[in-house]
mmCIF file of all heavy atoms in Angstrom:
data_model
loop_
_atom_site.group_PDB
_atom_site.id
_atom_site.type_symbol
_atom_site.label_atom_id
_atom_site.label_comp_id
_atom_site.label_asym_id
_atom_site.label_seq_id
_atom_site.Cartn_x
_atom_site.Cartn_y
_atom_site.Cartn_z
ATOM 1 N N ALA O 189 70.474 -8.436 -75.927
ATOM 2 C CA ALA O 189 69.136 -9.032 -76.159
ATOM 3 C C ALA O 189 68.383 -8.276 -77.224
ATOM 4 O O ALA O 189 67.724 -8.856 -78.091
ATOM 5 C CB ALA O 189 68.348 -9.075 -74.851
ATOM 6 N N ASN O 190 68.555 -6.931 -77.214
ATOM 7 C CA ASN O 190 67.843 -6.167 -78.272
ATOM 8 C C ASN O 190 68.447 -6.465 -79.656
ATOM 9 O O ASN O 190 67.677 -6.634 -80.626
ATOM 10 C CB ASN O 190 68.103 -4.681 -77.995
ATOM 11 C CG ASN O 190 66.875 -4.075 -77.309
ATOM 12 O OD1 ASN O 190 65.839 -4.711 -77.232
ATOM 13 N ND2 ASN O 190 67.036 -2.824 -76.826
ATOM 14 N N LEU O 191 69.723 -6.595 -79.671
ATOM 15 C CA LEU O 191 70.385 -6.882 -80.945
ATOM 16 C C LEU O 191 69.951 -8.261 -81.423
ATOM 17 O O LEU O 191 69.670 -8.471 -82.590
ATOM 18 C CB LEU O 191 71.895 -6.885 -80.716
ATOM 19 C CG LEU O 191 72.758 -6.469 -81.919
ATOM 20 C CD1 LEU O 191 72.288 -5.104 -82.449
ATOM 21 C CD2 LEU O 191 74.224 -6.425 -81.513
ATOM 22 N N ILE O 192 69.812 -9.174 -80.459
ATOM 23 C CA ILE O 192 69.360 -10.551 -80.841
ATOM 24 C C ILE O 192 67.958 -10.459 -81.401
ATOM 25 O O ILE O 192 67.634 -11.154 -82.388
ATOM 26 C CB ILE O 192 69.391 -11.483 -79.561
ATOM 27 C CG1 ILE O 192 70.836 -11.818 -79.232
ATOM 28 C CG2 ILE O 192 68.616 -12.780 -79.857
ATOM 29 C CD1 ILE O 192 70.995 -12.649 -77.965
ATOM 30 N N ASN O 193 67.089 -9.603 -80.786
ATOM 31 C CA ASN O 193 65.733 -9.470 -81.336
ATOM 32 C C ASN O 193 65.705 -8.988 -82.756
ATOM 33 O O ASN O 193 64.993 -9.519 -83.578
ATOM 34 C CB ASN O 193 64.940 -8.510 -80.435
ATOM 35 C CG ASN O 193 64.216 -9.155 -79.337
ATOM 36 O OD1 ASN O 193 64.098 -10.389 -79.367
ATOM 37 N ND2 ASN O 193 63.770 -8.434 -78.368
ATOM 38 N N VAL O 194 66.572 -7.954 -83.012
ATOM 39 C CA VAL O 194 66.578 -7.378 -84.342
ATOM 40 C C VAL O 194 67.071 -8.477 -85.318
ATOM 41 O O VAL O 194 66.511 -8.680 -86.373
ATOM 42 C CB VAL O 194 67.596 -6.180 -84.353
ATOM 43 C CG1 VAL O 194 67.835 -5.698 -85.781
ATOM 44 C CG2 VAL O 194 67.036 -5.058 -83.497
ATOM 45 N N LYS O 195 68.118 -9.184 -84.940
ATOM 46 C CA LYS O 195 68.676 -10.177 -85.882
ATOM 47 C C LYS O 195 67.705 -11.341 -86.044
ATOM 48 O O LYS O 195 67.574 -11.879 -87.121
ATOM 49 C CB LYS O 195 69.995 -10.747 -85.311
ATOM 50 C CG LYS O 195 71.094 -9.687 -85.146
ATOM 51 C CD LYS O 195 71.705 -9.292 -86.446
ATOM 52 C CE LYS O 195 72.651 -8.112 -86.232
ATOM 53 N NZ LYS O 195 73.019 -7.447 -87.431
ATOM 54 N N SER O 196 66.998 -11.704 -84.985
ATOM 55 C CA SER O 196 66.043 -12.829 -85.073
ATOM 56 C C SER O 196 64.928 -12.474 -86.026
ATOM 57 O O SER O 196 64.400 -13.251 -86.772
ATOM 58 C CB SER O 196 65.370 -13.238 -83.799
ATOM 59 O OG SER O 196 66.256 -13.178 -82.712
ATOM 60 N N LEU O 197 64.520 -11.178 -85.994
ATOM 61 C CA LEU O 197 63.498 -10.681 -86.867
ATOM 62 C C LEU O 197 63.923 -10.856 -88.324
ATOM 63 O O LEU O 197 63.176 -11.373 -89.170
ATOM 64 C CB LEU O 197 63.161 -9.241 -86.576
ATOM 65 C CG LEU O 197 61.879 -8.723 -87.130
ATOM 66 C CD1 LEU O 197 60.729 -9.392 -86.382
ATOM 67 C CD2 LEU O 197 61.801 -7.217 -87.009
ATOM 68 N N ALA O 198 65.178 -10.496 -88.578
ATOM 69 C CA ALA O 198 65.711 -10.614 -89.926
ATOM 70 C C ALA O 198 65.702 -12.049 -90.359
ATOM 71 O O ALA O 198 65.409 -12.441 -91.491
ATOM 72 C CB ALA O 198 67.128 -10.034 -89.999
ATOM 73 N N VAL O 199 66.090 -12.947 -89.389
ATOM 74 C CA VAL O 199 66.111 -14.401 -89.735
ATOM 75 C C VAL O 199 64.721 -14.905 -90.043
ATOM 76 O O VAL O 199 64.517 -15.535 -91.066
ATOM 77 C CB VAL O 199 66.730 -15.211 -88.527
ATOM 78 C CG1 VAL O 199 66.482 -16.663 -88.720
ATOM 79 C CG2 VAL O 199 68.201 -14.917 -88.382
ATOM 80 N N GLN O 200 63.772 -14.433 -89.215
ATOM 81 C CA GLN O 200 62.373 -14.872 -89.471
ATOM 82 C C GLN O 200 61.845 -14.403 -90.806
ATOM 83 O O GLN O 200 61.248 -15.155 -91.559
ATOM 84 C CB GLN O 200 61.437 -14.289 -88.418
ATOM 85 C CG GLN O 200 61.254 -15.237 -87.282
ATOM 86 C CD GLN O 200 60.680 -14.516 -86.054
ATOM 87 O OE1 GLN O 200 60.115 -13.416 -86.211
ATOM 88 N NE2 GLN O 200 60.871 -15.071 -84.907
ATOM 89 N N GLN O 201 62.169 -13.120 -91.132
ATOM 90 C CA GLN O 201 61.687 -12.576 -92.370
ATOM 91 C C GLN O 201 62.277 -13.358 -93.562
ATOM 92 O O GLN O 201 61.630 -13.719 -94.500
ATOM 93 C CB GLN O 201 62.060 -11.135 -92.551
ATOM 94 C CG GLN O 201 61.051 -10.262 -91.824
ATOM 95 C CD GLN O 201 61.460 -8.823 -91.676
ATOM 96 O OE1 GLN O 201 62.645 -8.493 -91.955
ATOM 97 N NE2 GLN O 201 60.592 -7.960 -91.243
ATOM 98 N N GLN O 202 63.596 -13.652 -93.469
ATOM 99 C CA GLN O 202 64.247 -14.365 -94.573
ATOM 100 C C GLN O 202 63.707 -15.787 -94.633
ATOM 101 O O GLN O 202 63.541 -16.306 -95.716
ATOM 102 C CB GLN O 202 65.792 -14.339 -94.382
ATOM 103 C CG GLN O 202 66.562 -14.897 -95.558
ATOM 104 C CD GLN O 202 66.148 -14.243 -96.903
ATOM 105 O OE1 GLN O 202 65.691 -13.088 -96.909
ATOM 106 N NE2 GLN O 202 66.224 -14.988 -97.960
ATOM 107 N N LEU O 203 63.432 -16.393 -93.459
ATOM 108 C CA LEU O 203 62.911 -17.704 -93.457
ATOM 109 C C LEU O 203 61.555 -17.757 -94.154
ATOM 110 O O LEU O 203 61.276 -18.623 -94.954
ATOM 111 C CB LEU O 203 62.776 -18.229 -92.036
ATOM 112 C CG LEU O 203 62.245 -19.665 -91.923
ATOM 113 C CD1 LEU O 203 63.197 -20.665 -92.545
ATOM 114 C CD2 LEU O 203 62.001 -20.034 -90.443
ATOM 115 N N SER O 204 60.720 -16.709 -93.881
ATOM 116 C CA SER O 204 59.390 -16.745 -94.479
ATOM 117 C C SER O 204 59.482 -16.462 -96.044
ATOM 118 O O SER O 204 58.792 -17.039 -96.797
ATOM 119 C CB SER O 204 58.417 -15.843 -93.770
ATOM 120 O OG SER O 204 58.575 -14.531 -94.238
ATOM 121 N N ALA O 205 60.503 -15.639 -96.391
ATOM 122 C CA ALA O 205 60.731 -15.398 -97.840
ATOM 123 C C ALA O 205 61.130 -16.728 -98.503
ATOM 124 O O ALA O 205 60.632 -17.087 -99.588
ATOM 125 C CB ALA O 205 61.799 -14.350 -98.091
ATOM 126 N N LEU O 206 62.004 -17.479 -97.800
ATOM 127 C CA LEU O 206 62.501 -18.739 -98.324
ATOM 128 C C LEU O 206 61.370 -19.744 -98.436
ATOM 129 O O LEU O 206 61.224 -20.439 -99.481
ATOM 130 C CB LEU O 206 63.587 -19.249 -97.375
ATOM 131 C CG LEU O 206 64.424 -20.461 -97.892
ATOM 132 C CD1 LEU O 206 65.201 -20.057 -99.147
ATOM 133 C CD2 LEU O 206 65.389 -20.893 -96.787
#
Side-chain angles (χ1 to χ4, degrees):
N190 261 351
L191 210 56
I192 288 178
N193 269 346
V194 173
K195 302 282 173 196
S196 325
L197 196 70
V199 168
Q200 265 163 22
Q201 277 169 350
Q202 188 51 30
L203 180 64
S204 82
L206 191 63

